[in-house]
Amino acid sequence: MSTDRVRLRDVTLEDADLLDSWDDPAVHGEFNDFGMAHSPAPRETLTAGPLRNEHNGQLIVELVEEGTPIGTVGWHKVMNGPNPESACWNIGISIL
């Protein structure tokens, strides 16, 4: 019996419409509404490769058995001081 129920995978161009549909206040709820304008998935960036680099990134959370995307994990570097050693990672997880 496998216990691997979810996995993280790179966002692909085929996920762009899905990510756009999730960027809706009715979907993400009141606690994820920071008053920012809608930002469509970066299709130009997705054609060049995954949405991750040394400063930030995003992955899809997917059910293994069905291959169904159920959310995202994103991260970006935050500086808490003036020197490079003060960098830390802000990580966010959204599961629908």
Side-chain angles (χ1 to χ4, degrees), residues 42-78:
R43 285 157 175 81
E44 302 81 25
T45 303
L46 285 168
T47 59
L51 292 181
R52 55 185 162 82
N53 58 42
E54 65 275 2
H55 303 289
N56 56 47
Q58 186 174 35
L59 298 170
I60 293 282
V61 180
E62 182 176 76
L63 294 174
V64 172
E65 192 170 316
E66 297 90 357
T68 304
I70 59 168
T72 60
V73 174
W75 64 92
H76 64 274
K77 191 180 283 190
V78 177

Side-chain angles (χ1 to χ4, degrees), residues 84-96:
E85 292 79 16
S86 67
C88 64
W89 294 101
N90 182 314
I91 301 170
I93 302 170
S94 295
I95 303 293
L96 296 175

Side-chain angles (χ1 to χ4, degrees), residues 1-84:
M1 179 173 104
S2 174
T3 59
D4 296 334
R5 295 184 181 164
V6 297
R7 67 177 157 225
L8 298 176
R9 66 164 176 81
D10 281 320
V11 178
T12 65
L13 184 58
E14 290 76 31
D15 297 314
D17 289 338
L18 178 64
L19 291 178
D20 287 347
S21 74
W22 286 350
D23 191 16
D24 178 330
V27 174
H28 59 66
E30 63 183 296
F31 298 112
N32 276 334
D33 184 4
F34 300 106
M36 299 174 70
H38 171 70
S39 176
R43 285 157 175 81
E44 302 81 25
T45 303
L46 285 168
T47 59
L51 292 181
R52 55 185 162 82
N53 58 42
E54 65 275 2
H55 303 289
N56 56 47
Q58 186 174 35
L59 298 170
I60 293 282
V61 180
E62 182 176 76
L63 294 174
V64 172
E65 192 170 316
E66 297 90 357
T68 304
I70 59 168
T72 60
V73 174
W75 64 92
H76 64 274
K77 191 180 283 190
V78 177
M79 298 303 293
N80 287 319
N83 58 350

